[in-house]
Amino acid sequence: MACTTILVGKDASYDGSTIIARNEDSANGEFNPKRFIVVRPTEQPRHYRSVLSHVEVDLPDNPLQYTAVPNADTKEGIWGEAGVNEANVAMSATETLTTNERVLGADPFVELTPAKGKPGEDGYEPETPGGIGEEDFLTLVLPYIKTAREGVKRLGSLLEQFGTYEMNGVAFSDSHEIWWLETVGGHHWIAKRVPDEAYVTMPNQLGIDEFDLDDALEDQESHMCSADLAEFIEHNHLDLAVESTSPFNPRDAFGSHSDSDHVYNTPRAWYMQRFLNPYDEVWDGKDADHTPESNDIPWARQPERKITIEDVKYVLSSHYQGTPFDPYGHLGDEHTRHMYRTIGINRQSQLSVMQIRPYRPQSNRAIQWIAYGSNPFNTLVPFFPNVDTTPKYFEDTTTRVTSENFYWENRIIAALCDAAFSDTANAVERYQEKTGGMAHRLIAATDEQVSRLGGENEAKAKQLEDEFEADNLDGDVEPLEPDQIIEVVRDQEVRDVLAAANQTMADQIKEETDKLLDTVLYITSMKMKNGFNRSDN
């Protein structure tokens, strides 16, 4: 999948939250309608078989409940993509990455080999299953982890055991830290903790540019990797450093710097960092420190100001506004406006922004913001994931086009607005601003309602906090051990409040989205070629 990711450390975000976000973009020439669902423990398989690779995996008992954004049409598998579980751990899977021939020669992908002939016939060869991939990752990992660090370890062990048929980047977060894992060939992997004060941009290209192998193989404070990675690098001559330097550069060793990267990948990192660090360096012109085609755009950097949810939505919706590369703009010419692949693109499937807030009790700490369809024309909607069900407007996505669910209504709006961008831009901006304000008001009101529950719920949370022996971690208002978090999150009274808030949000969004559809349909209808300015009345 051709996606774009941004990760925001807790000291870089506006409110101290960890934030992980990713556009899921469908393959060229197709759409993948998406649903937002809750997967209960009874619905989680105990034996899993991949649709694409046919790999089979036995899964543990006692999975956690979690949210997911699967395909509405499961003919190619689940593709859960993004979610939060009952331990308040979030996962985004995956950002498709690039690699190079040296890596694939040293550790080939594990691909499905179809059977030859039929059983009982001479020369029959049974099929050989492939490895695990984006179709599978969320289902195989998120229900079984209680911290972000555990997510890295579980996925890493699965990669070593089953292998993969593609290069992928995967994000894990809890209220304390964010980890980013990148696959390396068929069975190897690396992972790095996102610095608290930094953000990370990932545009379909292997990204980590500094890696401490000693830490990864020993203390694992901020780095992890497959156990034999040092030998793998040395034996296959993958380290491209001219001198013996530290830290090791995985992007040079495992990644690519192809001509297509300069059209498809690096411009997206350039624009996101240009927006979030406009004054740290020169971004435009012949004296630019980094251009859209630079190979050395940093993986992580500290922003010039704290990053908001709206900033995340803006960069993941961008089409190079204010540059000659904007396909809707007036700068440049017809050539420059279509030089680079935009971030906000027509074949966006969904955007999930997962925010874990350390200043809220564990019971309503997590928020999963959802958008469907092409990001320049949609809005980001917050939902509390620790509930029993999701609103039908977001869950019941059909495989046929209809305005009665959020996915297809956004698709219709985007198609209309794209054809009349300048005429509909104001209506879209007003819709995004209004619904954004509604979202923040609803979150604040729900937080207040949870706080007012008091009584037994509040006393229970206080008891658990008093029993927690470790020091208060990083200003966490309710620093509990993972099993205690799960117990608090399962409080049914709180879940009912959160579910009601989610439904209110969905109802309000549907009303505003219906209004936007009415507006842009009228605007674009008035531009039809067979219009006539004389009234029939």
Side-chain angles (χ1 to χ4, degrees), residues 127-146:
E127 76 171 16
T128 301
I132 58 176
E134 182 171 347
E135 174 198 345
D136 321 300
F137 283 171
L138 194 89
T139 304
L140 298 180
V141 176
L142 186 57
Y144 309 104
I145 60 176
K146 297 179 180 178

Side-chain angles (χ1 to χ4, degrees), residues 18 67 72 75 129 167 176 195 205 211 275 285 346 396 414:
T18 57
T67 53
K75 66 183 179 182
M167 289 281 290
H176 304 303
Q205 191 175 22
F211 195 79
F275 176 77
N346 62 328
D396 286 353

Side-chain angles (χ1 to χ4, degrees), residues 307-512:
I307 296 174
T308 66
I309 296 295
E310 289 69 36
D311 293 329
V312 170
K313 175 64 166 68
Y314 182 86
V315 297
L316 291 180
S317 304
S318 71
H319 40 89
Y320 305 129
Q321 299 94 307
T323 77
F325 314 119
D326 182 359
Y328 300 112
H330 301 288
L331 301 176
D333 53 36
E334 284 303 308
H335 171 67
T336 62
R337 290 175 204 145
H338 300 280
M339 282 179 65
Y340 302 128
R341 188 263 206 211
T342 61
I343 300 171
I345 200 167
N346 62 328
R347 49 191 168 81
Q348 236 115 49
S349 297
Q350 60 90 20
L351 161 62
S352 284
V353 181
M354 286 162 288
Q355 178 183 15
I356 314 295
R357 308 176 297 164
Y359 56 89
R360 293 301 309 166
Q362 299 284 355
S363 60
N364 65 320
R365 172 166 296 195
I367 300 174
Q368 183 167 353
W369 299 74
I370 298 286
Y372 288 149
S374 184
N375 282 348
F377 310 103
N378 63 20
T379 193
L380 202 54
V381 185
F383 291 108
F384 294 96
N386 289 314
V387 293
D388 296 326
T389 60
T390 54
K392 298 301 182 184
Y393 185 51
F394 286 77
E395 179 185 2
D396 286 353
T397 303
T398 58
T399 54
R400 65 178 180 84
V401 179
T402 172
S403 63
E404 291 308 304
N405 62 64
F406 192 55
Y407 175 87
W408 285 115
E409 192 162 19
N410 276 300
R411 278 259 174 259
I412 296 168
I413 289 168
L416 292 168
C417 291
D418 177 86
F421 184 85
S422 60
D423 295 300
T424 59
N426 284 340
V428 172
E429 288 180 7
R430 287 195 300 270
Y431 164 76
Q432 291 169 335
E433 185 178 73
K434 183 174 183 179
T435 55
M438 288 164 42
H440 285 289
R441 286 195 299 275
L442 183 106
I443 291 170
T446 307
D447 286 347
E448 178 63 25
Q449 189 174 359
V450 171
S451 297
R452 287 200 306 266
L453 287 177
E456 182 179 348
N457 180 69
E458 185 176 0
K460 183 178 179 182
K462 185 66 170 66
Q463 178 185 358
L464 289 171
E465 183 173 347
D466 291 342
E467 292 171 356
F468 187 73
E469 296 179 356
D471 292 334
N472 191 306
L473 300 175
D474 302 319
D476 190 328
V477 300
E478 193 176 24
L480 305 179
E481 292 179 334
D483 288 340
Q484 295 173 320
I485 293 174
I486 295 164
E487 184 178 353
V488 169
V489 163
R490 288 177 176 172
D491 184 284
Q492 193 60 51
E493 187 177 15
V494 176
R495 283 196 171 191
D496 290 344
V497 168
L498 301 183
N502 288 350
Q503 187 60 55
T504 298
M505 191 75 248
D507 292 343
Q508 293 178 356
I509 288 296
K510 186 178 190 313
E511 181 179 350
E512 295 303 322

Side-chain angles (χ1 to χ4, degrees), residues 141-174:
V141 176
L142 186 57
Y144 309 104
I145 60 176
K146 297 179 180 178
T147 66
R149 188 178 290 261
E150 282 187 16
V152 172
K153 292 181 178 179
R154 174 165 175 80
L155 180 54
S157 67
L158 291 169
L159 290 166
E160 292 171 15
Q161 180 179 357
F162 296 100
T164 184
Y165 52 85
E166 58 189 354
M167 289 281 290
N168 280 314
V170 180
F172 298 95
S173 66
D174 53 37

Side-chain angles (χ1 to χ4, degrees), residues 235-309:
H235 180 74
N236 294 288
H237 313 289
L238 295 174
D239 189 350
L240 301 185
V242 175
E243 300 178 358
S244 180
T245 60
S246 183
F248 167 68
N249 188 329
R251 189 187 297 178
D252 285 344
F254 307 139
S256 65
H257 300 301
S258 67
D259 293 338
S260 60
D261 284 331
H262 297 154
V263 173
Y264 201 80
N265 295 327
T266 55
R268 287 181 274 158
W270 170 82
Y271 190 82
M272 287 190 282
Q273 296 190 22
R274 179 184 184 269
F275 176 77
L276 296 171
N277 288 80
Y279 306 115
D280 278 355
E281 58 180 82
V282 177
W283 293 100
D284 302 292
K286 61 183 179 63
D287 296 324
D289 297 292
H290 289 101
T291 74
E293 301 185 15
S294 294
N295 291 325
D296 61 345
I297 298 172
W299 176 70
R301 70 190 305 161
Q302 185 172 349
E304 291 177 18
R305 61 171 177 79
K306 297 295 181 75
I307 296 174
T308 66
I309 296 295

